Amino acid sequence: MFDVKRIREDFPLLKTKMQGHPLIYFDNGATSLKPQVVIQAINDYYTKLGSNSHRADYDLSYYTSEAIEATRKEVASFINARPEEIIFTSGTTAAINGLAIMLKKFLKKGDEIILSYHEHAANTLPWFALQQELGLVIKYVELTKNGEITTDNLRRLITKQTRIISLALISNVMGVVSKPQKISNLIKDQNIIYIIDAAQAAPHEKIDVKAFDCDFLVFSAHKMLGPTGVGVLYGKMEQLESLDPYLYGGSMNDKYDKTGKMSYLNVPTKFEAGTPNISNIIAFKAAIMYLKSIGMEQIREHELMLREYVIQQLIKEVPKIIIYNKEIESNTVIFNIDGVFAQDVATYLNSYGIAIRSGEHCAKLLHYYLGVGSTLRLSFYLYNTKEEVDVLVAALKAGGDFLDGFFK
Amino acid sequence: MVFSNDVLRQIIVSHYSAPAFKKAIDDPTFLKIHLSSQNCIDDFNLYLKVDNNVIKEAYFSGVGCAISTASIDIMCQMITGQSYEYAKKLIDEFHKMMREESFDQAFLEEAIAFINTSKQPSRIKCATIGWDGLSVLINKDQSDKKE
Ligand SMILES: Cc1ncc(COP(=O)(O)O)c(C=O)c1O
């Protein structure tokens, strides 16, 4: 049974206060809180293992390497991949940047990359840099009225020059979901690389790279109860084998000599140069096991229940509310209070202990679609409650000119 | 002089809802700086017309939150017709207020509306964005003239 009271006991930060009020954490799109088991796992590494991860010579190092490989297996099973197809990075941003560098050798002037206005800066700027360097063309798939990405609109954009399609599975602002199976079907047998940014999806949905049939998929541990500084770059084995590393150094090389000749270890080791973020990779396993113990479907159901409730309450109680993504099933609600600058609302809510994000949410192309710049983003996770929603709605209802927070 | 919160609030609201110095300037004889910050979407330009180290005119354009907008508008009002030296003292006193150090209340006039900012640390950047831009413009202008 999904028991939110029980779940909340596992998250130490939920006992903290902000501005004298119990913390209400609605900024899960930015990062999630961590359960005690994850914090404990980090602590355990530093108190019980502490060594580097070169398998070899002594027990502690051996167990450290084993622990990293255990996380790799756990991640692989979580997304239905093989462990060798899992590369650890420092996050989604690092994974996409690495991909852009590694895919460069397949690209030439005039080649096309397809993105959408929903994309996070991490899935636009690395491609802009390649565009400028190589003379690529970047195209944006047309969105429907509800902000959706349809295969029809994608099909219309694809040409013989299309080399890469890189799209979020769930967008970090609107919560729009793209449909991987349909996209990979559409481009079957064409020479197009399909990349999925799953940073917002992995925390909330079942990921299945086999079913998605994508070439690459990336996400960050910190948004799914795991520690910061750890990300995953999944690639189909045949794709990974065709790539050269983007980082060079220790742990990834096989041998080299003074003339500059070098050879690499096998996938995935050849993509993991240098000492990894050992403690946090190990602790990431605890995060995934925790999510699995609750159940991804149960989490989703809980979030959708909260979403429906908050939308209903906001419409009923806050006359000046504008909600931008009412029609989309997701864990986020994007809104504004008519006539009030989003950041003024966020600061006001801060004075009630409510953490909520204002601004453009790192998706600075979205205004082309939304027609507004700054919005407020409320993003739920498994530990949020209806009672927290009630506090939010009451605060917004009493908002006035929203400068209260500034004069307390 | 101690103002009540209601008075301070009224100062901010009036400068935010009807800023007197908000005007885009397209005149190359004005010094100009773009102001933006990483954590919010403040997006302003600040324009100064300077003659012999005296700020003859000051305007801003763009969008931002109530705090940043009101703060820049008040700043423009206070520096118009003033010397660089005076403006620099204003900047210093304003920053002292942000850091909760003792400062010259009378000298800061309406700018003391932001005295509560330090209790909302995430907003300090909003309150200071215009003042920081002013400081950069003045320093740059003075070092350009030295060369
Ligand atoms: C959709 C999406 N992509 C990429 C990122 C970047 O993730 P990270 O900052 O963990 O590298 C985020 C994080 O906000 C995101 O929401």
Side-chain angles (χ1 to χ4, degrees):
Chain A
M1 233 264 301
F2 189 92
D3 180 356
V4 71
K5 273 219 189 73
R6 175 75 260 301
I7 289 170
R8 290 174 67 83
E9 293 295 313
D10 298 330
F11 291 80
L13 256 173
L14 289 174
K15 297 186 181 77
T16 204
K17 290 196 165 175
M18 196 164 73
Q19 298 266 330
H21 295 275
L23 173 68
I24 296 184
Y25 189 74
F26 284 150
D27 193 19
N28 294 289
T31 196
S32 68
L33 307 181
K34 321 303 173 202
Q36 186 58 40
V37 285
V38 169
I39 299 164
Q40 189 57 43
I42 296 172
N43 198 46
D44 281 351
Y45 165 73
Y46 288 114
T47 46
K48 296 177 186 157
L49 291 173
S51 53
N52 212 323
S53 57
H54 32 228
R55 291 171 197 268
D57 308 321
Y58 52 94
D59 288 358
L60 289 187
S61 171
Y62 174 81
Y63 291 126
T64 299
S65 307
E66 286 296 294
I68 290 178
E69 293 318 303
T71 300
R72 201 185 305 278
K73 282 203 190 90
E74 194 66 42
V75 171
S77 106
F78 190 68
I79 65 170
N80 195 22
R82 290 154 52 190
E84 314 83 77
E85 294 172 317
I86 303 299
I87 297 161
F88 290 119
T89 69
S90 69
T92 304
T93 304
I96 301 179
N97 274 276
L99 264 182
I101 293 167
M102 293 193 288
L103 292 172
K104 200 163 109 177
K105 66 172 182 176
F106 300 122
L107 300 170
K108 57 174 194 318
K109 192 173 172 11
D111 283 349
E112 297 170 359
I113 296 179
I114 297 181
L115 307 173
S116 85
Y117 288 157
H118 288 302
E119 301 317 311
H120 187 278
N123 191 28
T124 44
L125 303 203
W127 307 118
F128 290 178
L130 274 194
Q131 172 193 33
Q132 282 156 26
E133 188 183 334
L134 303 176
L136 307 177
V137 178
I138 292 189
K139 292 174 154 184
Y140 300 94
V141 59
E142 194 186 324
L143 305 175
T144 66
K145 213 165 123 264
N146 288 340
E148 285 145 334
I149 294 168
T150 64
T151 36
D152 278 348
N153 285 344
L154 262 182
R155 184 182 298 113
R156 239 174 272 145
L157 220 53
I158 293 172
T159 70
K160 285 207 167 58
Q161 277 71 50
T162 306
R163 285 287 88 80
I164 294 173
I165 296 179
S166 190
L167 296 172
L169 181 49
I170 298 182
S171 78
N172 69 313
V173 185
M174 299 291 285
V176 164
V177 183
S178 54
K179 304 189 183 64
Q181 279 97 329
K182 289 192 172 170
I183 295 173
S184 53
N185 258 331
L186 176 72
I187 58 175
K188 221 174 192 57
D189 303 322
Q190 301 185 50
N191 182 20
I192 299 174
I193 292 165
Y194 177 29
I195 301 167
I196 295 180
D197 173 357
Q200 293 294 339
H204 306 284
E205 288 217 333
K206 178 90 193 84
I207 303 286
D208 184 339
V209 293
K210 293 262 151 51
F212 293 175
D213 197 21
C214 52
D215 296 295
F216 299 99
L217 182 140
V218 298
F219 55 99
S220 298
H222 70 90
K223 293 185 199 285
M224 48 194 293
L225 310 186
T228 53
V230 176
V232 171
L233 166 56
Y234 154 84
K236 267 185 192 162
M237 189 43 94
E238 66 260 33
Q239 289 288 3
L240 291 176
E241 278 174 341
S242 74
L243 298 177
D244 300 321
Y246 67 107
L247 293 171
Y248 295 84
S251 314
M252 54 74 72
N253 65 78
D254 177 20
K255 47 188 162 187
Y256 56 95
D257 64 23
K258 66 178 181 182
T259 69
K261 217 185 283 165
M262 53 182 173
S263 61
Y264 319 126
L265 296 169
N266 289 333
V267 176
T269 319
K270 81 170 185 183
F271 299 110
E272 293 179 348
T275 299
N277 192 339
I278 301 172
S279 60
N280 291 9
I281 291 175
I282 293 174
F284 187 25
K285 180 179 172 213
I288 297 181
M289 289 175 62
Y290 186 91
L291 285 174
K292 288 210 304 207
S293 75
I294 308 287
M296 297 309 284
E297 266 159 45
Q298 281 71 18
I299 293 172
R300 190 78 185 150
E301 219 170 274
H302 179 70
E303 292 164 353
L304 292 179
M305 178 278 291
L306 289 174
R307 182 175 191 281
E308 199 174 301
Y309 181 64
V310 75
I311 289 179
Q312 172 208 318
Q313 290 302 99
L314 285 174
I315 291 174
K316 195 165 105 200
E317 304 287 346
V318 187
K320 289 198 296 180
I321 196 86
I322 306 171
I323 300 175
Y324 298 97
N325 63 344
K326 247 186 291 189
E327 312 301 327
I328 296 157
E329 273 208 353
S330 84
N331 72 311
T332 67
V333 180
I334 301 301
F335 67 98
N336 262 324
I337 304 291
D338 197 12
V340 186
F341 204 72
Q343 203 186 7
D344 292 326
V345 179
T347 305
Y348 166 83
L349 292 174
N350 174 57
S351 72
Y352 283 82
I354 302 173
I356 204 166
R357 176 98 184 263
S358 75
E360 295 175 288
H361 321 293
C362 293
K364 295 194 182 181
L365 302 177
L366 191 66
H367 68 92
Y368 291 121
Y369 162 76
L370 261 190
V372 295
S374 197
T375 55
L376 290 143
R377 179 180 70 185
L378 161 66
S379 46
F380 291 120
Y381 212 3
L382 66 166
Y383 34 69
N384 292 123
T385 65
K386 276 180 136 174
E387 290 72 26
E388 291 178 323
V389 169
D390 290 337
V391 175
L392 170 82
V393 172
L396 288 175
K397 193 175 169 183
D401 62 10
F402 285 90
L403 289 177
D404 269 4
F406 207 69
F407 289 103
K408 270 202 175 154
Chain B
M1 198 166 23
V2 179
F3 290 112
S4 74
N5 272 344
D6 281 347
V7 172
L8 299 180
R9 183 180 191 130
Q10 201 41 51
I11 293 172
I12 292 181
V13 170
S14 71
H15 281 275
Y16 175 54
S17 48
F21 293 83
K22 185 169 176 179
K23 183 160 108 179
I25 303 287
D26 187 17
D27 173 348
T29 67
F30 274 73
L31 303 174
K32 177 182 164 185
I33 186 170
H34 180 248
L35 310 170
S36 61
S37 75
Q38 188 205 1
N39 52 350
C40 74
I41 78 152
D42 286 345
D43 183 4
F44 294 108
N45 286 309
L46 175 66
Y47 313 92
L48 300 183
K49 174 100 164 174
V50 178
D51 182 22
N52 203 9
N53 288 346
V54 174
I55 301 166
K56 295 287 184 193
E57 296 174 63
Y59 300 104
F60 73 100
S61 65
V63 288
C65 64
I67 302 308
S68 56
T69 308
S71 181
I72 296 186
D73 198 57
I74 290 170
M75 179 187 84
C76 288
Q77 173 183 303
M78 293 177 71
I79 61 174
T80 299
Q82 301 292 357
S83 66
Y84 273 176
E85 209 179 322
Y86 186 89
K88 281 180 168 176
K89 175 146 178 4
L90 279 177
I91 295 168
D92 281 348
E93 294 299 319
F94 193 84
H95 275 111
K96 279 189 210 159
M97 178 172 75
M98 290 292 121
R99 291 193 299 265
E100 298 187 337
E101 292 167 15
S102 67
F103 67 99
D104 188 340
Q105 287 215 8
F107 186 62
L108 273 189
E109 300 173 35
E110 281 198 325
I112 69 155
F114 301 98
I115 190 164
N116 291 307
T117 310
S118 53
K119 293 186 194 126
Q120 294 275 351
S122 63
R123 298 308 286 276
I124 290 175
K125 182 77 201 142
C126 307
T128 60
I129 188 169
W131 300 87
D132 292 341
L134 176 66
S135 174
V136 172
L137 267 189
I138 293 177
N139 288 335
K140 183 168 179 303
D141 189 43
Q142 291 191 317
S143 72
D144 285 354
K145 279 178 186 150
K146 260 191 216 132
E147 277 162 13

